[in-house]
Amino acid sequence: MPSPPDAVVETATLEAAVLETAALDTVSVEPPVLETSVAGDPAHAPAATHQPIPHDPAPYDPTPGGRPAGTSPSEAPPTGTLSAERLAAKALEARLLGGERKLRRREVAAGAGLSLLSARKLWRALGFPNLGDEDVAFTERDQAALSTVVDLVRAGKLTEEAAISVTRAIGQMTDRMVVWQIEALVEDMVHRQGVSDAVARKRLVNQLPSLVDALEEMLVYSWRRQLNAGVQRLAVRAEAGLQASEEGREGDEDDAPLPLARAVGFADLVSYTSLSRRMNEKTLAQLVQRFENKCAEIISVGGGRLVKTVGDEVLYIAETPAAGAEISLALSQAFTEDEILPQARVAMVWGRILSRLGDIYGPTVNLAARLTALADPGTVLVDSMTAAALEQDERFVLVPQKAEEVRGFGEIHPVLLQRGSGRGLVLD
């Protein structure tokens, strides 16, 4: 990633930008029981009439005056007409949803052969808001998508619980992805066109139609590549990892019952809280993006997986102790050499984990987090078992540190991980 201009460094000269952030709502889901609708049940019967979608009379003008083109400030738009912005949004909606909203929720559920209760569970898993019986909010494509999930359960390919979990994964990941993409596009328009954040968001509605097909194609392409990578991590490689994780262990460790062996690492920016207090919104956004982009690049090049970022901290995994060590050293070096970002504390532990809901769990994860807090800025710490797995590898130098009392683990023996022979990860 190229370095930003010098103006980025001088936070006092940057103008604050108003960044609109979409919140990811966590919705509780009832026990996943998919109930087939019963013929003749009035509770599941479709409603009789459709309500028209109300028009939005609010005017929109893409020109700097804020009024419809060709009108004077005193002229108001004709009553009952749609603004240019609303017309563009409705056209884009019809394209994205596969048609006009014509169906109510009971009609969609009945069409898929489900009770309304079961349909709502799937919609909640996708992150959709709750709608009333009279809301005309669905299209035929919504009904087809609901039927697709239900058919997998009826064919015995997924249990009801698995169907809810897989659906929730799709909903949460695509929701975060869409928010991310919109913010990136808005920010790009602000910089390129020299407009305000609010104006960029209005203009984006008109520009999105030319981007939809390309974004969709990349989404499907990436999903297939990622699914293939996940398949490669199954079975043989998983078993090999578990065998490697037995080295130096007695079999009674806290993580022994867990199914996957992985190198788990954390990287935590130093003094992030105090830095963020001195930054305006634009500069803080640039810092966070630079941090996450750099982490994602290094972890990807090292063959690992970025599990998540939480503010100033990133959690990642790798399939071998050596791969985890290479990624950890590369992250520490990158932040030490970066002219804008502060240094980072990094820690890595090789052990067993449980992978669920796109996240990872277990004592290995907790120990890596504790070690991160003990690391000095610009250094990488590992535990004694991880050090034992790396000690024969000439690429690494291991320096034992004084014992530390760690909450939940008692006395542990941290080891400083340093570069030995070789170049380490090479970033283009």
Side-chain angles (χ1 to χ4, degrees):
M1 172 178 173
S3 298
D6 294 339
V8 175
V9 185
E10 300 296 334
T11 62
T13 63
L14 291 174
E15 295 184 4
V18 180
L19 299 179
E20 178 181 272
T21 305
L24 299 179
D25 294 330
T26 303
V27 181
S28 60
V29 178
E30 303 162 54
V33 179
L34 301 182
E35 303 172 357
T36 303
S37 63
V38 180
D41 183 353
H44 302 148
T49 60
H50 293 170
Q51 296 292 330
I53 301 176
H55 291 324
D56 179 4
Y60 166 66
D61 175 22
T63 63
R67 62 181 185 275
T71 64
S72 67
S74 60
E75 290 179 317
T79 303
T81 61
L82 289 175
S83 65
E85 179 187 22
R86 184 62 176 159
L87 285 171
K90 282 180 65 66
L92 180 58
E93 176 182 275
R95 178 178 175 186
L96 293 175
L97 300 188
E100 185 181 352
R101 298 175 189 254
K102 297 180 178 180
L103 302 175
R104 296 176 174 83
R105 63 183 191 175
R106 289 189 183 277
E107 294 172 320
V108 176
L114 279 182
S115 70
L116 178 58
L117 175 63
S118 293
R120 287 175 61 193
K121 290 173 184 175
L122 288 168
W123 290 329
R124 286 181 179 181
L126 284 167
F128 295 169
N130 196 26
L131 298 168
D133 285 339
E134 298 306 314
D135 292 323
V136 182
F138 297 95
T139 70
E140 293 180 354
R141 183 175 291 178
D142 291 305
Q143 182 172 308
L146 193 62
S147 298
T148 297
V149 179
V150 175
D151 289 346
L152 289 174
V153 176
R154 288 175 176 156
K157 297 179 180 179
L158 289 178
T159 64
E160 296 163 359
E161 184 176 0
I164 294 290
S165 183
V166 169
T167 302
R168 185 180 297 115
I170 294 170
Q172 291 187 4
M173 293 302 104
T174 51
D175 177 56
R176 183 171 188 260
M177 179 191 68
V178 165
V179 172
W180 189 336
Q181 289 176 338
I182 288 176
E183 296 300 335
L185 292 171
V186 167
E187 185 177 19
D188 182 61
M189 292 174 68
V190 169
H191 289 314
R192 287 191 301 107
Q193 300 179 17
V195 297
S196 69
D197 184 273
V199 170
R201 292 178 189 279
K202 291 182 178 181
R203 290 185 180 178
L204 183 59
V205 176
N206 294 309
Q207 294 191 14
L208 272 175
S210 65
L211 301 174
V212 168
D213 289 341
L215 293 176
E216 182 178 20
E217 184 176 342
M218 286 301 297
L219 171 61
V220 175
Y221 162 76
S222 176
W223 178 80
R224 287 181 175 274
R225 291 286 300 186
Q226 296 290 359
L227 183 59
N228 179 68
V231 169
Q232 302 307 312
R233 292 193 293 267
L234 295 175
V236 176
R237 293 170 70 177
E239 185 63 29
L242 288 175
Q243 292 175 0
S245 73
E246 298 295 342
E247 298 179 9
R249 301 162 68 94
E250 297 178 0
D252 57 353
E253 291 78 13
D254 291 340
D255 64 348
L258 300 182
L260 296 175
R262 293 290 187 270
V264 178
F266 279 95
D268 182 18
L269 286 180
V270 177
S271 303
Y272 170 81
T273 301
S274 61
L275 279 172
S276 62
R277 289 174 180 169
R278 301 195 301 269
M279 292 181 176
N280 59 37
E281 294 179 13
K282 183 176 181 180
T283 310
L284 179 59
Q286 290 172 330
L287 182 143
V288 170
Q289 290 174 6
R290 187 176 181 86
F291 169 64
E292 184 158 332
N293 290 344
K294 191 175 289 287
C295 287
E297 179 184 13
I298 291 172
I299 293 167
S300 176
V301 169
R305 181 171 76 86
L306 195 159
V307 178
K308 63 181 178 181
T309 55
V310 183
D312 61 336
E313 189 172 65
V314 62
L315 169 62
Y316 55 95
I317 58 175
E319 293 188 37
T320 66
E326 290 284 15
I327 292 171
S328 300
L329 288 171
L331 286 171
S332 178
Q333 180 180 349
F335 293 124
T336 298
E337 296 175 352
D338 194 283
E339 297 179 353
I340 297 174
L341 294 171
Q343 289 184 308
R345 297 182 178 90
V346 184
M348 190 270 291
V349 175
W350 169 248
R352 297 191 182 192
I353 62 170
L354 176 68
S355 177
R356 290 291 186 275
L357 307 177
D359 208 339
I360 58 174
Y361 306 88
T364 299
V365 183
N366 298 334
L367 180 55
R370 300 284 192 272
L371 281 174
T372 305
L374 296 177
D376 290 328
T379 66
V380 180
L381 286 183
V382 299
D383 69 317
S384 56
M385 283 192 179
T386 305
L390 296 170
E391 62 183 357
Q392 301 302 319
D393 195 321
E394 296 181 352
R395 292 173 293 176
F396 311 113
V397 174
L398 300 155
V399 183
Q401 307 293 293
K402 68 176 183 178
E404 297 275 0
E405 282 290 329
V406 174
R407 179 169 55 88
F409 292 92
E411 185 178 87
I412 65 171
H413 299 272
V415 178
L416 182 66
L417 176 67
Q418 296 178 326
R419 169 66 54 202
S421 61
R423 297 177 57 190
L425 292 184
V426 178
L427 303 179
D428 294 334

